[in-house]
């Protein structure tokens, strides 16, 4: 017969392993594929597409870049309502600061092939993984269509 001490140790070991496994579990975006954006837990849910022509719209939300461009690349994030859609625009090294409802034009820009830092803050701890979830703003899970562009006031 197995002693009670061995059973207790075995149960403790299994619980310890389950706890360790959940600590290294997936955050909302661990299937990152090859995303070059740094610090957003929801970017794997975004639908990336290349902008084919200039579009006009109004700003719903604008997040200034976190770092000056130089040794590190950094981009702003702007949520824009166009005539037919709401999109997220990543603007590399932009110094612009747009206000809500400001009219803007978005010009075609290429996606960089290197890592880019985007605005973020730690919003919550995911209780299933016990990890911080990095968010940019309340549109992270609402607006999926995402493109690179250069934004200017109209």
């Amino acid at each position: 017969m197995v002693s009670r001490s061995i059973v207790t140790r075995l149960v403790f070991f299994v619980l310890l392993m389950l706890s360790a496994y959940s600590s290294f579990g997936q955050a909302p975006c661990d299937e990152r594929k090859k995303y070059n954006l740094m610090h957003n837990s929801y970017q794997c849910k975004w639908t990336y597409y290349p902008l084919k022509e200039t579009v006009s719209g109004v700003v719903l939300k604008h997040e200034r870049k976190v770092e000056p461009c130089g040794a590190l690349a950094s981009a702003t994030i702007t949520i824009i309502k166009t005539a037919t859609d709401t999109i997220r625009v990543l603007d590399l090294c932009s110094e612009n600061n747009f206000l809500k409802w400001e009219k803007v034009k978005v010009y075609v820009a290429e996606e960089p092939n290197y890592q880019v830092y985007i605005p973020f803050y730690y919003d919550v701890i995911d209780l299933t993984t016990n990890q911080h979830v990095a968010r940019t703003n309340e549109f992270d899970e609402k607006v999926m269509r995402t493109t690179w562009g250069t934004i200017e006031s109209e």
Side-chain angles (χ1 to χ4, degrees), residues 84-112:
T84 59
D85 202 0
T86 302
I87 61 174
R88 174 183 296 98
V89 179
L90 306 166
D91 191 352
L92 187 64
C93 294
S94 173
E95 294 294 334
N96 292 327
N97 188 23
F98 299 106
L99 301 174
K100 188 172 184 176
W101 306 118
E102 187 171 346
K103 292 182 180 181
V104 294
K105 282 193 175 187
V106 182
Y107 298 93
V108 175
E110 293 206 17
E111 177 181 355

PDB file of all heavy atoms in Angstrom, residues 84-112:
ATOM      1  N   THR A  84     -17.124  54.453 -44.933  1.00  0.00           N
ATOM      2  CA  THR A  84     -17.676  53.094 -44.988  1.00  0.00           C
ATOM      3  C   THR A  84     -17.149  52.146 -43.913  1.00  0.00           C
ATOM      4  O   THR A  84     -17.610  51.011 -43.836  1.00  0.00           O
ATOM      5  CB  THR A  84     -17.358  52.461 -46.355  1.00  0.00           C
ATOM      6  OG1 THR A  84     -15.930  52.432 -46.520  1.00  0.00           O
ATOM      7  CG2 THR A  84     -17.990  53.252 -47.491  1.00  0.00           C
ATOM      8  N   ASP A  85     -16.201  52.564 -43.088  1.00  0.00           N
ATOM      9  CA  ASP A  85     -15.542  51.630 -42.182  1.00  0.00           C
ATOM     10  C   ASP A  85     -14.917  52.381 -41.016  1.00  0.00           C
ATOM     11  O   ASP A  85     -14.802  53.609 -41.024  1.00  0.00           O
ATOM     12  CB  ASP A  85     -14.448  50.889 -42.957  1.00  0.00           C
ATOM     13  CG  ASP A  85     -14.059  49.561 -42.336  1.00  0.00           C
ATOM     14  OD1 ASP A  85     -14.622  49.189 -41.295  1.00  0.00           O
ATOM     15  OD2 ASP A  85     -13.188  48.894 -42.915  1.00  0.00           O
ATOM     16  N   THR A  86     -14.503  51.636 -40.019  1.00  0.00           N
ATOM     17  CA  THR A  86     -13.666  52.171 -38.943  1.00  0.00           C
ATOM     18  C   THR A  86     -12.382  51.359 -38.971  1.00  0.00           C
ATOM     19  O   THR A  86     -12.415  50.134 -38.956  1.00  0.00           O
ATOM     20  CB  THR A  86     -14.368  52.039 -37.580  1.00  0.00           C
ATOM     21  OG1 THR A  86     -15.605  52.736 -37.637  1.00  0.00           O
ATOM     22  CG2 THR A  86     -13.513  52.617 -36.470  1.00  0.00           C
ATOM     23  N   ILE A  87     -11.240  52.069 -39.031  1.00  0.00           N
ATOM     24  CA  ILE A  87      -9.948  51.394 -39.197  1.00  0.00           C
ATOM     25  C   ILE A  87      -8.951  51.873 -38.144  1.00  0.00           C
ATOM     26  O   ILE A  87      -9.095  52.956 -37.574  1.00  0.00           O
ATOM     27  CB  ILE A  87      -9.368  51.610 -40.611  1.00  0.00           C
ATOM     28  CG1 ILE A  87      -9.125  53.104 -40.887  1.00  0.00           C
ATOM     29  CG2 ILE A  87     -10.270  50.996 -41.666  1.00  0.00           C
ATOM     30  CD1 ILE A  87      -8.424  53.397 -42.203  1.00  0.00           C
ATOM     31  N   ARG A  88      -7.929  51.065 -37.938  1.00  0.00           N
ATOM     32  CA  ARG A  88      -6.790  51.419 -37.100  1.00  0.00           C
ATOM     33  C   ARG A  88      -5.643  51.736 -38.043  1.00  0.00           C
ATOM     34  O   ARG A  88      -5.316  50.932 -38.916  1.00  0.00           O
ATOM     35  CB  ARG A  88      -6.409  50.251 -36.184  1.00  0.00           C
ATOM     36  CG  ARG A  88      -5.141  50.455 -35.364  1.00  0.00           C
ATOM     37  CD  ARG A  88      -4.798  49.223 -34.529  1.00  0.00           C
ATOM     38  NE  ARG A  88      -5.840  48.968 -33.533  1.00  0.00           N
ATOM     39  CZ  ARG A  88      -6.825  48.078 -33.675  1.00  0.00           C
ATOM     40  NH1 ARG A  88      -6.885  47.311 -34.746  1.00  0.00           N
ATOM     41  NH2 ARG A  88      -7.741  47.916 -32.732  1.00  0.00           N
ATOM     42  N   VAL A  89      -5.023  52.895 -37.860  1.00  0.00           N
ATOM     43  CA  VAL A  89      -3.903  53.281 -38.711  1.00  0.00           C
ATOM     44  C   VAL A  89      -2.653  53.423 -37.851  1.00  0.00           C
ATOM     45  O   VAL A  89      -2.647  54.136 -36.852  1.00  0.00           O
ATOM     46  CB  VAL A  89      -4.182  54.602 -39.463  1.00  0.00           C
ATOM     47  CG1 VAL A  89      -2.986  54.986 -40.327  1.00  0.00           C
ATOM     48  CG2 VAL A  89      -5.447  54.490 -40.298  1.00  0.00           C
ATOM     49  N   LEU A  90      -1.616  52.713 -38.252  1.00  0.00           N
ATOM     50  CA  LEU A  90      -0.307  52.799 -37.612  1.00  0.00           C
ATOM     51  C   LEU A  90       0.541  53.751 -38.441  1.00  0.00           C
ATOM     52  O   LEU A  90       0.707  53.540 -39.643  1.00  0.00           O
ATOM     53  CB  LEU A  90       0.331  51.414 -37.558  1.00  0.00           C
ATOM     54  CG  LEU A  90      -0.524  50.333 -36.901  1.00  0.00           C
ATOM     55  CD1 LEU A  90       0.023  48.954 -37.202  1.00  0.00           C
ATOM     56  CD2 LEU A  90      -0.620  50.562 -35.415  1.00  0.00           C
ATOM     57  N   ASP A  91       1.042  54.813 -37.813  1.00  0.00           N
ATOM     58  CA  ASP A  91       1.803  55.845 -38.523  1.00  0.00           C
ATOM     59  C   ASP A  91       3.205  55.900 -37.919  1.00  0.00           C
ATOM     60  O   ASP A  91       3.403  56.361 -36.792  1.00  0.00           O
ATOM     61  CB  ASP A  91       1.079  57.182 -38.394  1.00  0.00           C
ATOM     62  CG  ASP A  91       1.638  58.261 -39.303  1.00  0.00           C
ATOM     63  OD1 ASP A  91       2.689  58.050 -39.944  1.00  0.00           O
ATOM     64  OD2 ASP A  91       1.012  59.344 -39.365  1.00  0.00           O
ATOM     65  N   LEU A  92       4.170  55.419 -38.674  1.00  0.00           N
ATOM     66  CA  LEU A  92       5.548  55.287 -38.208  1.00  0.00           C
ATOM     67  C   LEU A  92       6.212  56.641 -37.994  1.00  0.00           C
ATOM     68  O   LEU A  92       6.189  57.504 -38.876  1.00  0.00           O
ATOM     69  CB  LEU A  92       6.348  54.464 -39.221  1.00  0.00           C
ATOM     70  CG  LEU A  92       7.760  54.082 -38.848  1.00  0.00           C
ATOM     71  CD1 LEU A  92       7.764  53.167 -37.629  1.00  0.00           C
ATOM     72  CD2 LEU A  92       8.450  53.395 -40.015  1.00  0.00           C
ATOM     73  N   CYS A  93       6.784  56.830 -36.819  1.00  0.00           N
ATOM     74  CA  CYS A  93       7.588  58.007 -36.452  1.00  0.00           C
ATOM     75  C   CYS A  93       6.836  59.332 -36.556  1.00  0.00           C
ATOM     76  O   CYS A  93       7.459  60.387 -36.679  1.00  0.00           O
ATOM     77  CB  CYS A  93       8.869  58.059 -37.280  1.00  0.00           C
ATOM     78  SG  CYS A  93       9.993  56.696 -36.928  1.00  0.00           S
ATOM     79  N   SER A  94       5.534  59.316 -36.480  1.00  0.00           N
ATOM     80  CA  SER A  94       4.747  60.544 -36.581  1.00  0.00           C
ATOM     81  C   SER A  94       4.841  61.363 -35.297  1.00  0.00           C
ATOM     82  O   SER A  94       4.793  60.820 -34.196  1.00  0.00           O
ATOM     83  CB  SER A  94       3.280  60.205 -36.849  1.00  0.00           C
ATOM     84  OG  SER A  94       2.493  61.373 -36.799  1.00  0.00           O
ATOM     85  N   GLU A  95       4.950  62.670 -35.449  1.00  0.00           N
ATOM     86  CA  GLU A  95       4.939  63.584 -34.312  1.00  0.00           C
ATOM     87  C   GLU A  95       3.573  64.241 -34.151  1.00  0.00           C
ATOM     88  O   GLU A  95       3.365  65.042 -33.250  1.00  0.00           O
ATOM     89  CB  GLU A  95       6.016  64.677 -34.493  1.00  0.00           C
ATOM     90  CG  GLU A  95       7.436  64.150 -34.462  1.00  0.00           C
ATOM     91  CD  GLU A  95       7.836  63.595 -33.096  1.00  0.00           C
ATOM     92  OE1 GLU A  95       7.277  64.016 -32.063  1.00  0.00           O
ATOM     93  OE2 GLU A  95       8.714  62.708 -33.060  1.00  0.00           O
ATOM     94  N   ASN A  96       2.642  63.931 -35.041  1.00  0.00           N
ATOM     95  CA  ASN A  96       1.318  64.554 -35.010  1.00  0.00           C
ATOM     96  C   ASN A  96       0.527  64.118 -33.792  1.00  0.00           C
ATOM     97  O   ASN A  96       0.701  63.024 -33.274  1.00  0.00           O
ATOM     98  CB  ASN A  96       0.530  64.195 -36.273  1.00  0.00           C
ATOM     99  CG  ASN A  96       1.132  64.828 -37.504  1.00  0.00           C
ATOM    100  OD1 ASN A  96       1.675  65.916 -37.438  1.00  0.00           O
ATOM    101  ND2 ASN A  96       1.042  64.141 -38.622  1.00  0.00           N
ATOM    102  N   ASN A  97      -0.351  65.008 -33.354  1.00  0.00           N
ATOM    103  CA  ASN A  97      -1.266  64.715 -32.260  1.00  0.00           C
ATOM    104  C   ASN A  97      -2.656  65.146 -32.710  1.00  0.00           C
ATOM    105  O   ASN A  97      -2.913  66.334 -32.856  1.00  0.00           O
ATOM    106  CB  ASN A  97      -0.849  65.450 -30.990  1.00  0.00           C
ATOM    107  CG  ASN A  97      -1.665  65.014 -29.798  1.00  0.00           C
ATOM    108  OD1 ASN A  97      -2.231  63.928 -29.781  1.00  0.00           O
ATOM    109  ND2 ASN A  97      -1.731  65.858 -28.796  1.00  0.00           N
ATOM    110  N   PHE A  98      -3.541  64.202 -32.953  1.00  0.00           N
ATOM    111  CA  PHE A  98      -4.862  64.505 -33.472  1.00  0.00           C
ATOM    112  C   PHE A  98      -5.901  64.474 -32.364  1.00  0.00           C
ATOM    113  O   PHE A  98      -5.807  63.686 -31.430  1.00  0.00           O
ATOM    114  CB  PHE A  98      -5.248  63.493 -34.562  1.00  0.00           C
ATOM    115  CG  PHE A  98      -4.303  63.519 -35.731  1.00  0.00           C
ATOM    116  CD1 PHE A  98      -3.389  62.494 -35.913  1.00  0.00           C
ATOM    117  CD2 PHE A  98      -4.312  64.568 -36.636  1.00  0.00           C
ATOM    118  CE1 PHE A  98      -2.512  62.506 -36.978  1.00  0.00           C
ATOM    119  CE2 PHE A  98      -3.432  64.588 -37.700  1.00  0.00           C
ATOM    120  CZ  PHE A  98      -2.530  63.560 -37.876  1.00  0.00           C
ATOM    121  N   LEU A  99      -6.905  65.339 -32.504  1.00  0.00           N
ATOM    122  CA  LEU A  99      -7.997  65.411 -31.538  1.00  0.00           C
ATOM    123  C   LEU A  99      -9.192  64.608 -32.027  1.00  0.00           C
ATOM    124  O   LEU A  99      -9.361  64.396 -33.235  1.00  0.00           O
ATOM    125  CB  LEU A  99      -8.413  66.873 -31.344  1.00  0.00           C
ATOM    126  CG  LEU A  99      -7.317  67.817 -30.855  1.00  0.00           C
ATOM    127  CD1 LEU A  99      -7.818  69.240 -30.839  1.00  0.00           C
ATOM    128  CD2 LEU A  99      -6.822  67.387 -29.480  1.00  0.00           C
ATOM    129  N   LYS A 100     -10.029  64.190 -31.100  1.00  0.00           N
ATOM    130  CA  LYS A 100     -11.242  63.458 -31.461  1.00  0.00           C
ATOM    131  C   LYS A 100     -12.093  64.336 -32.379  1.00  0.00           C
ATOM    132  O   LYS A 100     -12.216  65.536 -32.158  1.00  0.00           O
ATOM    133  CB  LYS A 100     -12.022  63.084 -30.199  1.00  0.00           C
ATOM    134  CG  LYS A 100     -13.188  62.172 -30.469  1.00  0.00           C
ATOM    135  CD  LYS A 100     -13.808  61.665 -29.191  1.00  0.00           C
ATOM    136  CE  LYS A 100     -14.924  60.678 -29.521  1.00  0.00           C
ATOM    137  NZ  LYS A 100     -15.500  60.088 -28.325  1.00  0.00           N
ATOM    138  N   TRP A 101     -12.636  63.739 -33.418  1.00  0.00           N
ATOM    139  CA  TRP A 101     -13.490  64.332 -34.450  1.00  0.00           C
ATOM    140  C   TRP A 101     -12.726  65.189 -35.454  1.00  0.00           C
ATOM    141  O   TRP A 101     -13.330  65.772 -36.346  1.00  0.00           O
ATOM    142  CB  TRP A 101     -14.661  65.131 -33.859  1.00  0.00           C
ATOM    143  CG  TRP A 101     -15.469  64.338 -32.906  1.00  0.00           C
ATOM    144  CD1 TRP A 101     -15.668  64.592 -31.585  1.00  0.00           C
ATOM    145  CD2 TRP A 101     -16.178  63.110 -33.174  1.00  0.00           C
ATOM    146  NE1 TRP A 101     -16.453  63.613 -31.008  1.00  0.00           N
ATOM    147  CE2 TRP A 101     -16.781  62.688 -31.978  1.00  0.00           C
ATOM    148  CE3 TRP A 101     -16.348  62.322 -34.308  1.00  0.00           C
ATOM    149  CZ2 TRP A 101     -17.547  61.534 -31.872  1.00  0.00           C
ATOM    150  CZ3 TRP A 101     -17.111  61.163 -34.195  1.00  0.00           C
ATOM    151  CH2 TRP A 101     -17.695  60.791 -32.993  1.00  0.00           C
ATOM    152  N   GLU A 102     -11.401  65.257 -35.334  1.00  0.00           N
ATOM    153  CA  GLU A 102     -10.606  66.012 -36.315  1.00  0.00           C
ATOM    154  C   GLU A 102     -10.646  65.283 -37.658  1.00  0.00           C
ATOM    155  O   GLU A 102     -10.538  64.066 -37.726  1.00  0.00           O
ATOM    156  CB  GLU A 102      -9.159  66.120 -35.824  1.00  0.00           C
ATOM    157  CG  GLU A 102      -8.292  67.014 -36.675  1.00  0.00           C
ATOM    158  CD  GLU A 102      -6.932  67.277 -36.059  1.00  0.00           C
ATOM    159  OE1 GLU A 102      -6.740  67.000 -34.852  1.00  0.00           O
ATOM    160  OE2 GLU A 102      -6.049  67.755 -36.792  1.00  0.00           O
ATOM    161  N   LYS A 103     -10.813  66.058 -38.744  1.00  0.00           N
ATOM    162  CA  LYS A 103     -10.837  65.483 -40.087  1.00  0.00           C
ATOM    163  C   LYS A 103      -9.400  65.251 -40.546  1.00  0.00           C
ATOM    164  O   LYS A 103      -8.553  66.140 -40.420  1.00  0.00           O
ATOM    165  CB  LYS A 103     -11.556  66.401 -41.064  1.00  0.00           C
ATOM    166  CG  LYS A 103     -13.034  66.504 -40.798  1.00  0.00           C
ATOM    167  CD  LYS A 103     -13.709  67.396 -41.827  1.00  0.00           C
ATOM    168  CE  LYS A 103     -15.196  67.490 -41.536  1.00  0.00           C
ATOM    169  NZ  LYS A 103     -15.887  68.331 -42.520  1.00  0.00           N
ATOM    170  N   VAL A 104      -9.155  64.057 -41.090  1.00  0.00           N
ATOM    171  CA  VAL A 104      -7.802  63.688 -41.516  1.00  0.00           C
ATOM    172  C   VAL A 104      -7.845  62.959 -42.856  1.00  0.00           C
ATOM    173  O   VAL A 104      -8.891  62.465 -43.285  1.00  0.00           O
ATOM    174  CB  VAL A 104      -7.100  62.783 -40.473  1.00  0.00           C
ATOM    175  CG1 VAL A 104      -6.841  63.529 -39.180  1.00  0.00           C
ATOM    176  CG2 VAL A 104      -7.879  61.506 -40.224  1.00  0.00           C
ATOM    177  N   LYS A 105      -6.676  62.913 -43.480  1.00  0.00           N
ATOM    178  CA  LYS A 105      -6.460  62.087 -44.661  1.00  0.00           C
ATOM    179  C   LYS A 105      -5.374  61.082 -44.317  1.00  0.00           C
ATOM    180  O   LYS A 105      -4.399  61.410 -43.641  1.00  0.00           O
ATOM    181  CB  LYS A 105      -6.012  62.918 -45.863  1.00  0.00           C
ATOM    182  CG  LYS A 105      -7.137  63.661 -46.517  1.00  0.00           C
ATOM    183  CD  LYS A 105      -6.707  64.204 -47.851  1.00  0.00           C
ATOM    184  CE  LYS A 105      -7.940  64.839 -48.501  1.00  0.00           C
ATOM    185  NZ  LYS A 105      -7.674  65.245 -49.856  1.00  0.00           N
ATOM    186  N   VAL A 106      -5.555  59.861 -44.808  1.00  0.00           N
ATOM    187  CA  VAL A 106      -4.579  58.805 -44.586  1.00  0.00           C
ATOM    188  C   VAL A 106      -3.978  58.437 -45.932  1.00  0.00           C
ATOM    189  O   VAL A 106      -4.697  58.041 -46.851  1.00  0.00           O
ATOM    190  CB  VAL A 106      -5.221  57.550 -43.949  1.00  0.00           C
ATOM    191  CG1 VAL A 106      -4.163  56.493 -43.682  1.00  0.00           C
ATOM    192  CG2 VAL A 106      -5.967  57.915 -42.673  1.00  0.00           C
ATOM    193  N   TYR A 107      -2.670  58.601 -46.044  1.00  0.00           N
ATOM    194  CA  TYR A 107      -1.951  58.304 -47.277  1.00  0.00           C
ATOM    195  C   TYR A 107      -1.287  56.932 -47.180  1.00  0.00           C
ATOM    196  O   TYR A 107      -0.917  56.489 -46.095  1.00  0.00           O
ATOM    197  CB  TYR A 107      -0.889  59.383 -47.545  1.00  0.00           C
ATOM    198  CG  TYR A 107      -1.502  60.754 -47.725  1.00  0.00           C
ATOM    199  CD1 TYR A 107      -1.635  61.622 -46.650  1.00  0.00           C
ATOM    200  CD2 TYR A 107      -1.960  61.163 -48.975  1.00  0.00           C
ATOM    201  CE1 TYR A 107      -2.209  62.874 -46.806  1.00  0.00           C
ATOM    202  CE2 TYR A 107      -2.534  62.415 -49.148  1.00  0.00           C
ATOM    203  CZ  TYR A 107      -2.657  63.260 -48.054  1.00  0.00           C
ATOM    204  OH  TYR A 107      -3.245  64.493 -48.223  1.00  0.00           O
ATOM    205  N   VAL A 108      -1.126  56.300 -48.302  1.00  0.00           N
ATOM    206  CA  VAL A 108      -0.521  54.972 -48.381  1.00  0.00           C
ATOM    207  C   VAL A 108       0.896  55.002 -47.805  1.00  0.00           C
ATOM    208  O   VAL A 108       1.670  55.921 -48.084  1.00  0.00           O
ATOM    209  CB  VAL A 108      -0.483  54.492 -49.853  1.00  0.00           C
ATOM    210  CG1 VAL A 108       0.249  53.166 -49.970  1.00  0.00           C
ATOM    211  CG2 VAL A 108      -1.900  54.384 -50.412  1.00  0.00           C
ATOM    212  N   ALA A 109       1.229  54.008 -47.004  1.00  0.00           N
ATOM    213  CA  ALA A 109       2.582  53.833 -46.465  1.00  0.00           C
ATOM    214  C   ALA A 109       2.856  52.338 -46.383  1.00  0.00           C
ATOM    215  O   ALA A 109       1.941  51.537 -46.204  1.00  0.00           O
ATOM    216  CB  ALA A 109       2.707  54.475 -45.086  1.00  0.00           C
ATOM    217  N   GLU A 110       4.107  51.972 -46.502  1.00  0.00           N
ATOM    218  CA  GLU A 110       4.477  50.553 -46.439  1.00  0.00           C
ATOM    219  C   GLU A 110       4.705  50.114 -45.004  1.00  0.00           C
ATOM    220  O   GLU A 110       5.188  50.882 -44.167  1.00  0.00           O
ATOM    221  CB  GLU A 110       5.738  50.318 -47.264  1.00  0.00           C
ATOM    222  CG  GLU A 110       5.492  50.522 -48.745  1.00  0.00           C
ATOM    223  CD  GLU A 110       6.445  49.723 -49.594  1.00  0.00           C
ATOM    224  OE1 GLU A 110       7.072  48.788 -49.078  1.00  0.00           O
ATOM    225  OE2 GLU A 110       6.537  50.051 -50.776  1.00  0.00           O
ATOM    226  N   GLU A 111       4.388  48.858 -44.756  1.00  0.00           N
ATOM    227  CA  GLU A 111       4.654  48.269 -43.451  1.00  0.00           C
ATOM    228  C   GLU A 111       6.156  48.056 -43.298  1.00  0.00           C
ATOM    229  O   GLU A 111       6.802  47.495 -44.183  1.00  0.00           O
ATOM    230  CB  GLU A 111       3.929  46.926 -43.338  1.00  0.00           C
ATOM    231  CG  GLU A 111       4.197  46.216 -42.045  1.00  0.00           C
ATOM    232  CD  GLU A 111       3.489  44.866 -41.952  1.00  0.00           C
ATOM    233  OE1 GLU A 111       2.721  44.524 -42.861  1.00  0.00           O
ATOM    234  OE2 GLU A 111       3.737  44.160 -40.958  1.00  0.00           O
ATOM    235  N   PRO A 112       6.751  48.510 -42.194  1.00  0.00           N
ATOM    236  CA  PRO A 112       8.184  48.266 -41.984  1.00  0.00           C
ATOM    237  C   PRO A 112       8.449  46.781 -41.736  1.00  0.00           C
ATOM    238  O   PRO A 112       7.561  46.061 -41.273  1.00  0.00           O
ATOM    239  CB  PRO A 112       8.509  49.102 -40.744  1.00  0.00           C
ATOM    240  CG  PRO A 112       7.213  49.321 -40.072  1.00  0.00           C
ATOM    241  CD  PRO A 112       6.140  49.255 -41.117  1.00  0.00           C
TER     242      PRO A 112
END
